[in-house]
Amino acid sequence: MSGANASRGRFITLEGVDGAGKSTHVGWIAERIRSRGQEVVVTREPGGTPLGEQLRKLVLGEAMHIDTETLLMFAARREHLEQVIQPALQAGKWVISDRFTDATFAYQGGGRQMAAARIAILEDWVQGAFQPDLTFVFDVPTDVAAGRRGGREPASPGAASASDRFERENLAFFERVRDGYLRRAAQFPRRMKVINANRALESIQKELEEYLVVS
Ligand code: TMP
């Protein structure tokens, strides 16, 4: 990230399985960067634009083919890049997104076992070579994440205890998502930092701060 164009903002993404606690860190990271006098835009995927939020409702709520699910993630992302992410970066703002394309590789690729090469085609179509400057992958054992999601593994997919289609998936699905994130982080170690999120908040924030200081 040093060496990047100084007039351009930085793009930071937060990733992890549902229940890894990443949402807790979004606001804290935004505040740390604001305290350095930078303008910060906080956003999320799927979503981040009015159309993207409608697509989010569909993709989290309606049963659909895996290809449809993946295409909708990238459709929302295309709008997000066009309407929010690129304009903010070009204006010199920092953008912090709660999830981005690594989530598609982890959830649709790992979790739903779609071939990474197919996802890479859509990635190239929608964003070309554009990538986040820095990505934090909040990592916790799958059973810990399940506990944080507020319940045990549902007895059957579709059990009414969880709130969206992904949260209703079983532990094996989330194991594959977690592996998907870890494999991707191993592939892009300069950009993606795996944060052990199974420890005290202060200790996690101390590590985040170390990465942010050099950003
Ligand atoms: P959230 O709970 O972090 O807001 O994310 C919503 C869900 O969408 C979460 O379970 C992960 C899932 N998701 C995908 O499956 N693929 C994607 O590309 C993105 C961005 C999210």
Side-chain angles (χ1 to χ4, degrees):
M1 288 179 309
S2 56
N5 180 349
S7 65
R8 183 179 157 278
R10 299 284 183 277
F11 182 32
I12 299 178
T13 59
L14 280 69
E15 300 283 357
V17 299
D18 300 82
K22 80 189 151 43
S23 304
T24 313
H25 302 289
V26 174
W28 185 83
I29 291 172
E31 274 320 303
R32 293 306 300 148
I33 295 167
R34 282 194 188 105
S35 73
R36 300 193 214 154
Q38 305 285 350
E39 266 194 81
V40 178
V41 173
V42 174
T43 186
R44 70 171 179 180
E45 289 207 353
T49 66
L51 178 57
E53 291 295 327
Q54 289 194 48
L55 293 173
R56 177 188 177 95
K57 224 185 247 172
L58 283 175
V59 83
L60 297 190
E62 302 289 329
M64 62 185 71
H65 191 279
I66 168 64
D67 288 356
T68 312
E69 179 177 297
T70 307
L71 288 163
L72 288 179
M73 293 296 180
F74 274 103
R77 186 160 299 135
R78 188 71 193 88
E79 289 301 304
H80 196 204
L81 281 162
E82 180 74 12
Q83 308 283 337
V84 177
I85 299 172
Q86 301 281 20
L89 293 175
Q90 277 154 22
K93 297 174 189 168
W94 288 53
V95 178
I96 300 171
S97 187
D98 188 337
R99 300 194 188 281
F100 191 62
T101 305
D102 297 312
T104 315
F105 282 95
Y107 279 79
Q108 282 65 52
R112 302 234 194 275
Q113 300 175 290
M114 172 181 264
R118 297 194 73 205
I119 300 171
I121 292 168
L122 294 175
E123 178 188 37
D124 183 51
W125 189 12
V126 164
Q127 64 196 75
F130 178 81
Q131 291 292 338
D133 295 292
L134 176 64
T135 297
F136 293 122
V137 177
F138 293 93
D139 184 57
V140 291
T142 307
D143 56 337
V144 173
R148 290 190 189 168
R149 285 195 299 275
R152 292 189 305 269
E153 182 176 14
S156 62
S161 60
S163 59
D164 72 47
R165 285 173 63 232
F166 294 101
E167 289 170 340
R168 286 197 291 270
E169 289 291 346
N170 60 23
L171 286 181
F173 175 87
F174 284 106
E175 282 291 351
R176 293 195 300 274
V177 172
R178 183 186 186 203
D179 283 353
Y181 274 127
L182 295 178
R183 263 185 281 119
R184 194 141 166 95
Q187 217 182 329
F188 302 104
R190 283 194 54 200
R191 172 174 69 84
M192 299 180 72
K193 307 300 177 192
V194 178
I195 307 293
N196 170 6
N198 192 22
R199 59 192 165 138
L201 196 58
E202 304 76 56
S203 143
I204 297 172
Q205 289 173 346
K206 195 159 166 266
E207 189 178 1
L208 296 178
E209 179 77 44
E210 284 164 17
Y211 289 119
L212 293 172
V213 162
V214 296
S215 301

